[in-house]
């Protein structure tokens, strides 16, 4: 039995589906059919970003998926992200005006009038970080983004917004799984009503990003990990991926699994027919290994 209606609170007027569909590393050749299939399989949240270079084909998939599933735009939650620039990569930080233009460009590529959530993808904006946040507040005020947030922000980046006296983000999308639990950051976010959205929940799978050209920064210890998750999953009669995703939703984090495979796509949204018992949750709570591994090129929180 699935429960795709389950949602978490994002702000006073918006909720976010507990399970969304990730679109990173989905090529333009595959995006339309994959996103359409995900919507038909029951996903009601599509997570994308201008940095994934596939917004146009993701948008085509959204349109096709809504039609095939017989639902309308308001039944779907769409997240898009500003690429903020990164001076360390010779990529000038976006100004406030450029941020407003970037959102318009993303909406045009996606073929949408608004997004449900617009995020600053990473805290790379340096001197422009607060200007970018001010632009997002404007986008929320003019209805182009129903809710707004950040991604890969640490406590000091969030405090910068607080110190400027600006409204805090509705959400912070961060890498979260049993090996990267970020308890201090989550406690801060909880105090400030910033909802956690978990990405790369499936990092502990031995098969995670092992294809040519898919870099990650897994440690040797992680690569040599034993069968703990597999053994636990067997106990509940679910897959290791379902166990890891259930860990996220059971902790109150919206999750964003990506899969190109129809069976795995269906499996990843089927998280509500079992729950992880207290003993196993306590065991998983001891497995934290610090910062995440999805950004192979370095710590995006710097
Ligand atoms: N804000 C950020 O900075 C940030 C960073 C990273 C990711 N994200 C978002 O979060 C989404 C998810 O993260 P992710 O793409 O890094 O990784 P993920 O969803 O944790 O893992 C995807 C990988 O796991 C495989 N997989 C999926 N379901 C499986 C299953 N049931 N059993 C076995 N293998 C399975 C996929 O292969 P197949 O496709 O072959 O099934 C793929 O190789 C992204 O797509 C993106 O939308 C955001």
């Amino acid at each position: 039995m699935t429960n795709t209606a389950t949602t978490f609170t994002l702000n006073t007027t918006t909720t976010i589906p507990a399970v969304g569909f990730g679109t990173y590393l989905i090529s333009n050749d595959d995006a339309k059919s994959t996103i359409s299939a995900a919507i038909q399989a029951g996903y009601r949240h599509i997570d994308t970003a201008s940095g994934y270079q596939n917004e146009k084909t993701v948008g085509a998939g959204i349109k096709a998926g809504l039609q095939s599933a017989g639902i309308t735009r308001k039944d779907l939650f769409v997240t898009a992200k500003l690429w903020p620039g990164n001076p360390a990569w010779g990529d000038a930080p976006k100004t406030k005006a450029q941020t407003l233009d970037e959102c318009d460009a993303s909406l045009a590529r996606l073929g949408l009038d608004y997004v449900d959530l617009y995020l600053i993808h990473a805290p790379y904006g340096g001197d422009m970080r607060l200007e970018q946040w001010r632009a997002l507040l404007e986008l929320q005020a003019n209805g182009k983004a129903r809710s707004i947030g950040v991604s890969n922000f640490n406590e000091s980046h969030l405090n910068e917004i607080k110190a400027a006296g600006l409204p805090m983000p509705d959400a912070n999308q961060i890498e979260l799984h049993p090996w990267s639990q970020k308890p201090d950051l989550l406690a801060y976010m909880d105090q400030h009503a910033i909802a956690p959205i978990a990405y790369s929940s499936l990092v502990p799978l031995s098969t995670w990003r092992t294809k040519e050209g898919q870099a990650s920064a897994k440690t040797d210890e992680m690569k040599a990990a034993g069968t703990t998750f597999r053994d636990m999953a067997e106990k509940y009669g679910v897959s290791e991926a379902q166990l890891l995703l259930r860990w996220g939703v059971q902790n109150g984090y919206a999750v964003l699994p990506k899969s190109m495979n129809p069976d795995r796509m269906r499996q990843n949204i089927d998280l509500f027919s079992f729950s992880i018992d207290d003993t196993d949750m306590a065991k998983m709570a001891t497995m934290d290994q610090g910062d995440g591994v999805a950004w192979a090129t370095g710590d995006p929180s710097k």
Side-chain angles (χ1 to χ4, degrees):
M1 185 195 72
T2 56
N3 178 2
T4 54
T6 302
T7 55
F8 295 125
T9 300
L10 206 49
N11 58 32
T12 49
T13 55
T14 323
T15 57
I16 182 170
V19 191
F21 188 75
T23 63
Y24 179 50
L25 294 176
I26 299 182
S27 74
N28 282 303
D29 287 343
D30 292 326
K32 182 178 176 186
S33 57
T34 305
I35 278 61
S36 176
I39 294 170
Q40 288 172 69
Y43 287 86
R44 292 294 177 265
H45 174 193
I46 305 297
D47 177 81
T48 187
S50 65
Y52 302 164
Q53 308 284 327
N54 58 9
E55 284 177 313
K56 205 167 173 187
T57 47
V58 166
I62 289 174
K63 193 173 173 196
L66 293 179
Q67 262 166 14
S68 305
I71 57 172
T72 61
R73 171 68 184 91
K74 67 175 172 31
D75 300 317
L76 191 71
F77 189 102
V78 179
T79 296
K81 307 186 195 88
L82 168 80
W83 182 250
N86 183 355
W89 297 347
D91 178 10
K94 303 281 188 312
T95 61
K96 185 178 176 196
Q98 285 170 329
T99 298
L100 296 171
D101 288 347
E102 284 290 320
C103 182
D104 282 341
S106 283
L107 288 173
R109 285 189 292 265
L110 287 163
L112 301 175
D113 301 329
Y114 69 92
V115 287
D116 298 274
L117 178 62
Y118 195 58
L119 303 175
I120 299 176
H121 203 145
Y124 288 157
D127 291 351
M128 284 295 145
R129 231 177 356 244
L130 281 177
E131 285 304 287
Q132 293 173 356
W133 183 243
R134 287 190 177 96
L136 263 64
L137 289 163
E138 199 168 309
L139 290 168
Q140 186 176 33
N142 67 25
K144 290 183 181 172
R146 294 273 156 96
S147 47
I148 52 173
V150 295
S151 178
N152 299 302
F153 272 42
N154 66 22
E155 209 174 309
S156 69
H157 303 126
L158 295 168
N159 261 329
E160 191 177 64
I161 295 174
K162 186 176 173 178
L166 297 171
M168 293 298 266
D170 293 319
N172 188 13
Q173 189 185 113
I174 51 179
E175 183 176 335
L176 282 172
H177 45 74
W179 291 349
S180 185
Q181 303 195 27
K182 303 180 171 70
D184 295 341
L185 177 59
L186 285 171
Y188 176 96
M189 285 162 52
D190 188 48
Q191 279 161 20
H192 294 84
I194 301 169
I197 301 173
Y199 71 69
S200 298
S201 301
L202 303 180
V203 159
L205 295 183
S206 58
T207 49
W208 187 84
R209 284 200 204 168
T210 45
K211 286 190 190 139
E212 188 76 29
Q214 297 185 351
S216 86
K218 273 192 181 178
T219 61
D220 290 343
E221 191 188 352
M222 289 172 179
K223 285 181 187 155
T227 59
T228 314
F229 296 127
R230 206 177 313 153
D231 295 344
M232 268 187 207
E234 260 173 38
K235 172 173 153 186
Y236 300 105
V238 296
S239 72
E240 213 177 329
Q242 285 173 301
L243 178 89
L244 291 165
L245 292 164
R246 176 72 204 184
W247 177 87
V249 297
Q250 204 163 310
N251 277 316
Y253 320 145
V255 294
L256 307 167
K258 168 261 170 189
S259 181
M260 304 287 296
N261 174 294
D263 286 339
R264 293 198 283 270
M265 204 184 264
R266 278 191 289 275
Q267 186 190 109
N268 293 346
I269 203 167
D270 183 7
L271 307 178
F272 302 94
S273 57
F274 74 104
S275 57
I276 305 170
D277 67 29
D278 291 348
T279 309
D280 287 339
M281 284 302 275
K283 192 169 173 190
M284 290 165 102
T286 66
M287 294 180 183
D288 193 13
Q289 297 185 42
D291 287 339
V293 302
W295 283 63
T297 47
D299 177 359
S301 64
K302 299 245 162 57

